[in-house]
Amino acid sequence: MQDNATEVTAAGIARLAGVGRAAVSNWRRRHADFPRPVGGTETSPSFALAEVESWLRKQGKLAEVPLRERVWQQLSGHPEGPVTALTHAGCVLLLIHDRPPVWLDVSAGSDERLASMLPGALRDVLTPRFGKQPAAVDVSGVVDTSGPVGASGAVNTSTAVNTSGTDHRSSGVASPSAVNTRPAVNTPPPVHTGAVLRVPSAAELLPSVPLLRGVAELAAELGARQTFEFLLGRHLDANPRQYTLTPADLAGLMADLVGPVRTVLDPACGTGALLKAAATRPEQRLYAQDSAPELAALTTLRLALHTWSTVRGATGDTLRADAYPQLHADAVLCHPPFNERNWGHDELAYDPRWEYGFPARNESELAWVQHALARLKDGGAGVLLMPPAAASRRSGRRIRADLLRRGALRAVIALPVGAAPPYNIPLHLWVLRRPEKAPAQPEVLLVDVGRYAGEGRGGPDWRAVREAVLDAWQAFGRAGRFAERPGLARALPVIDLLDDDVDLAPARHLPPPTAADGAEQLTAVRERLGETLRLTADLTPPPADSARPARWPLTTIGELARGGALMLRTGGSGGHARVPVLTDHDVLSGAAPSGTLPESDEEAVLTEPGDVVVPVLGGGSVARVIDEATGGAALGRNLVLLRPDPAALDPWFLAGFLRGTANNRQASSYASTATRLDVRRLQLPRLPLDEQRRYGERFRALDEFERALRHAGRLGEQLVRGMYDGLTDGTVAPG
């Protein structure tokens, strides 16, 4: 069945053909037979995917649409929207994962037969996993799609399913849902209860059949779990404003802090990174709750594909309508929404969860802390990601004081900048323990690993963060006194913190590194700066010789690519988590690969020595030649890789001429918020290879000089900051 219903945007066409948006616009103007829009708007039209695919092949611009790209375009252009398409695809992938012979049987024959047999087959596989599945009542396959993404709430847990397992989270504001066990002053409307997943009907599945056949084909290549990871990751990545990322490294650290446990709850699970990190054994029981029903369905399927653990999920507003009021979990992991005003302050004044004090209207995070403690068994552990303001706001000092006195707050860990969104703020981890009895001399562990922040956009040095945090936490938990680690970790008696502010920010209580270490480090930085400045002087270019403007015959990158003189690739949107990623920021700043890609099995574009990498956003005239140290890194987004044929092009000649200001201006398009470079339009002179190499040697020397200048600047900033800090904290003498 040809999928004429699936639509694709101009951006999707550009991705299919490996070109920029400007090229698609040119095709529409220059080719009378280019497919006509079938939907969208005048400024953002959409086209029939089948027609576009046929036209691209006829023009020789595309030999064959890659299977992954074809499936993604079918999903993103689904007539009922990508969430519906993902839900249908996830159900089929779970069927393929659990009962492959059944899928082979129902998929044989016509599309109509597949659509008619699939609901029964899905019910047979979903019921053993999640309990009895009601018949479908809406097109999306989700109980209820109302309410903002990111709140949390209640559902009948006997028929509900968990909602976890990715490195993104939902974002938004909690919505009123249900009343708690005690009457409140203003009773909110009742929350809807029911299954997180519903089996879609044959009529609902029929438009999805071409997609489902493609999904099954992709699953045969990648596996059912990896296929859903790829599609869900693409969907989340395509809607960055709707979701807040919870990095996999951070989720893993939080799970490690509670250790291996049998029952785990995430009361604000989003898309479930934390429960996925904690799901290590099949005998576990995982509980999740979130406000977005569509996310609950998608993440339910993802976790079901990820683990054989028992899974329970719920949708609705957690604080107003707790789905698990009788649960006493071994561990609670939570990344709650920050700075919520409408969290239920007015209607939850008499809620029994506020054992440590009634949170102020602006202290929603302390409401989540107490909810987590209420759902822990005695001795159970909890880890919450918190904004740093929660450790010091005066409105929360009484609750913080009671948490300390009763031994419920065991550690506050200041993370590096860039650990999680918002990336410009050093967030905190609060480690909780439901007290079995009041400790005789309570202490709290304060840790600050801010020193491990990364230089680029790739985030912190997670290996160093993990080692420092877990080492300090494990030492603190063992019997005996905790050995203070200046500038890193310290165990303080609770009594020392119970002043008027009860300020728990670790940096305000940790002693600085020893004076000797600080002075030695500054001396080493000064010596390295001196060496770098001497190298910079040696690399300074000689005086420029004047010459007449050259009038070479020119060619373009697009012509060279078509002629086989170079290969052109664009950066991917997914890849293996352990592959270092070269980002556009790394290229612009001359830094080492520092990024990450969404975790998926999509094939990453790997760099090789001699490649030339060009950023396409920002308007800068930059091109970087990949060396041996950078080779093997994955290509990040907003980057184009050029791989020249050594017999035709010198890479340094290529990179040097691509950096020309006039060259970049004529190849750039300008929007109200950004400048985009069409790499195919960049020009090069047609020169013999020997002449290219002569230019290439000069460009290489300029690159070495530029890198030396950058390094000297970084060392100078480090020395100046270290001297200011040393003089002001007394670790460096003034003279």
Side-chain angles (χ1 to χ4, degrees):
M1 174 178 174
Q2 191 74 355
D3 182 20
N4 291 314
T6 300
E7 299 177 10
V8 61
T9 64
I13 297 173
R15 189 175 187 120
L16 286 170
V19 299
R21 287 280 301 275
V24 178
S25 298
N26 288 336
W27 293 343
R28 292 185 63 195
R29 288 195 301 268
R30 297 176 182 177
H31 296 275
D33 61 340
F34 191 86
R36 300 297 180 188
V38 296
T41 65
E42 184 175 348
T43 57
S44 181
S46 59
F47 307 83
L49 176 61
E51 295 179 6
V52 168
E53 186 178 334
S54 174
W55 187 86
L56 289 172
R57 287 201 192 94
K58 186 172 68 174
Q59 294 292 324
K61 302 181 185 298
L62 186 66
E64 182 62 49
V65 178
L67 177 59
R68 296 186 189 203
E69 196 61 41
R70 175 162 56 87
V71 171
W72 167 247
Q73 294 298 343
Q74 287 176 321
L75 188 147
S76 62
H78 193 280
E80 300 298 333
V83 172
T84 296
L86 264 174
T87 305
H88 293 175
C91 290
V92 165
L93 286 168
L94 189 59
L95 174 63
I96 294 171
H97 179 269
D98 286 7
R99 302 185 181 186
V102 176
W103 166 255
L104 292 176
D105 179 44
V106 300
S107 62
S110 68
D111 291 348
E112 289 74 13
R113 177 180 181 272
L114 172 58
S116 65
M117 295 184 67
L118 197 51
L122 292 179
R123 188 172 293 108
D124 289 344
V125 75
L126 295 178
T127 300
R129 282 294 203 114
F130 311 129
K132 185 177 180 181
Q133 299 300 310
V137 294
D138 61 48
V139 174
S140 70
V142 180
V143 173
D144 179 12
T145 56
S146 63
V149 178
S152 301
V155 76
N156 184 338
T157 57
S158 64
T159 58
V161 189
N162 182 23
T163 61
S164 71
T166 184
D167 51 7
H168 291 71
R169 297 182 46 78
S170 62
S171 62
V173 180
S175 58
S177 298
V179 67
N180 206 291
T181 54
R182 288 196 182 188
V185 176
N186 297 313
T187 303
V191 69
H192 178 83
T193 61
V196 171
L197 272 174
R198 288 186 181 273
V199 177
S201 68
E204 293 167 349
L205 286 168
L206 186 59
S208 299
V209 167
L211 166 67
L212 300 181
R213 293 192 185 277
V215 164
E217 186 181 352
L218 189 57
E221 177 183 316
L222 302 178
R225 177 188 302 172
Q226 291 79 4
T227 298
F228 193 70
E229 291 285 335
F230 163 69
L231 295 174
L232 179 60
R234 271 281 189 98
H235 171 67
L236 297 174
D237 201 45
N239 300 275
R241 295 186 179 181
Q242 296 182 34
Y243 310 103
T244 302
L245 179 67
T246 302
D249 290 303
L250 175 59
L253 173 61
M254 294 172 68
D256 288 340
L257 283 168
V258 301
V261 290
R262 186 173 179 82
T263 58
V264 189
L265 166 69
D266 185 347
C269 65
T271 49
L274 298 176
L275 285 174
K276 183 188 175 192
T280 57
R281 298 179 298 175
E283 69 273 13
Q284 288 176 295
R285 297 182 67 87
L286 307 176
Y287 296 86
Q289 185 165 351
D290 197 88
S291 69
E294 65 275 16
L295 274 181
L298 296 177
T299 54
T300 293
L301 293 164
R302 186 172 190 248
L303 194 65
L305 287 163
H306 175 77
T307 179
W308 288 100
S309 300
T310 300
V311 180
R312 292 291 180 264
T315 182
D317 185 337
T318 293
L319 294 181
R320 289 187 172 90
D322 181 15
Y324 311 107
Q326 306 304 319
L327 178 65
H328 298 290
D330 296 315
V332 174
L333 300 173
C334 187
H335 177 174
F338 296 161
N339 302 319
E340 283 192 319
R341 293 296 181 124
N342 184 29
W343 60 266
H345 177 272
D346 293 340
E347 59 264 40
L348 298 176
Y350 302 103
D351 196 288
R353 288 172 292 183
W354 315 142
E355 297 181 44
Y356 302 88
F358 181 44
R361 189 181 300 277
N362 65 333
E363 292 287 358
S364 62
E365 296 86 6
L366 294 183
W368 286 100
V369 166
Q370 295 190 75
H371 174 81
L373 287 166
R375 293 297 155 260
L376 286 171
K377 71 177 185 180
D378 288 347
V383 181
L384 276 73
L385 185 66
M386 302 283 281
S392 56
R393 280 190 295 240
R394 288 190 60 81
S395 55
R397 66 189 185 277
R398 292 184 179 179
I399 294 177
R400 293 195 299 271
D402 207 31
L403 289 168
L404 291 172
R405 287 192 195 98
R406 297 170 59 179
L409 179 57
R410 303 293 292 132
V412 177
I413 301 164
L415 297 169
V417 171
Y423 289 108
N424 61 332
I425 297 175
L427 300 175
H428 289 178
L429 291 179
W430 284 24
V431 183
L432 310 173
R433 183 69 51 84
R434 173 119 185 134
E436 298 178 80
K437 60 180 180 179
Q441 293 180 331
E443 289 188 338
V444 64
L445 176 67
L446 301 177
V447 181
D448 189 343
V449 287
R451 65 177 69 177
Y452 301 120
E455 291 186 4
R457 293 183 184 175
D461 180 350
W462 279 110
R463 177 178 295 179
V465 169
R466 175 188 172 88
E467 290 177 356
V469 170
L470 294 181
D471 186 46
W473 173 244
Q474 291 162 5
F476 177 69
R478 290 192 292 266
R481 294 188 58 82
F482 179 80
E484 185 177 284
R485 299 167 191 184
L488 181 63
R490 181 184 188 186
L492 271 180
V494 164
I495 192 65
D496 292 351
L497 296 168
L498 297 179
D499 54 16
D500 289 341
D501 295 322
V502 195
D503 191 334
L504 306 182
R508 298 179 184 175
H509 302 284
L510 295 178
T514 61
D517 290 345
E520 289 176 3
Q521 290 176 4
L522 290 177
T523 300
V525 171
R526 187 178 185 280
E527 291 174 355
R528 289 163 56 201
L529 176 60
E531 294 172 1
T532 305
L533 289 174
R534 287 189 290 273
L535 176 63
T536 304
D538 294 339
L539 293 174
T540 301
D545 296 329
S546 60
R548 292 179 178 274
R551 298 188 179 277
W552 297 298
L554 300 176
T555 185
T556 66
I557 294 297
E559 291 173 351
L560 291 170
R562 287 191 292 272
L566 58 80
M567 182 177 70
L568 186 148
R569 300 288 300 277
T570 57
S573 60
H576 298 288
R578 298 183 184 277
V579 177
V581 177
L582 186 69
T583 68
D584 54 346
H585 182 269
D586 298 332
V587 175
L588 293 168
S589 63
S594 66
T596 57
L597 289 174
E599 196 172 336
S600 76
D601 281 354
E602 182 177 357
E603 184 179 356
V605 178
L606 301 182
T607 60
E608 297 179 2
D611 290 345
V612 177
V613 177
V614 183
V616 297
L617 293 180
S621 301
V622 178
R624 177 171 173 175
V625 179
I626 300 300
D627 56 17
E628 294 289 342
T630 309
L635 192 69
R637 303 168 108 205
N638 302 319
L639 291 175
V640 170
L641 179 145
L642 306 175
R643 183 164 293 162
D645 180 352
L649 282 173
D650 178 80
W652 286 101
F653 162 80
L654 172 63
F657 273 95
L658 294 187
R659 292 190 61 172
T661 301
N663 199 5
N664 274 260
R665 285 177 179 169
Q666 64 84 27
S668 296
S669 58
Y670 303 92
S672 58
T673 58
T675 301
R676 186 173 186 89
L677 181 68
D678 185 350
V679 175
R680 291 176 179 268
R681 291 173 53 193
L682 288 169
Q683 297 176 338
L684 284 178
R686 297 180 181 272
L687 296 179
L689 192 57
D690 289 343
E691 187 70 4
Q692 291 182 31
R693 289 171 178 158
R694 194 164 73 89
Y695 274 96
E697 287 300 319
R698 191 64 183 272
F699 288 137
R700 184 198 292 263
L702 282 173
D703 181 76
E704 292 180 7
F705 176 61
E706 183 179 36
R707 284 190 283 116
L709 285 175
R710 284 198 182 112
H711 188 49
R714 288 194 291 265
L715 289 172
E717 291 176 1
Q718 187 177 349
L719 179 61
V720 170
R721 172 49 51 198
M723 289 296 297
Y724 270 111
D725 290 344
L727 288 168
T728 54
D729 64 21
T731 59
V732 173

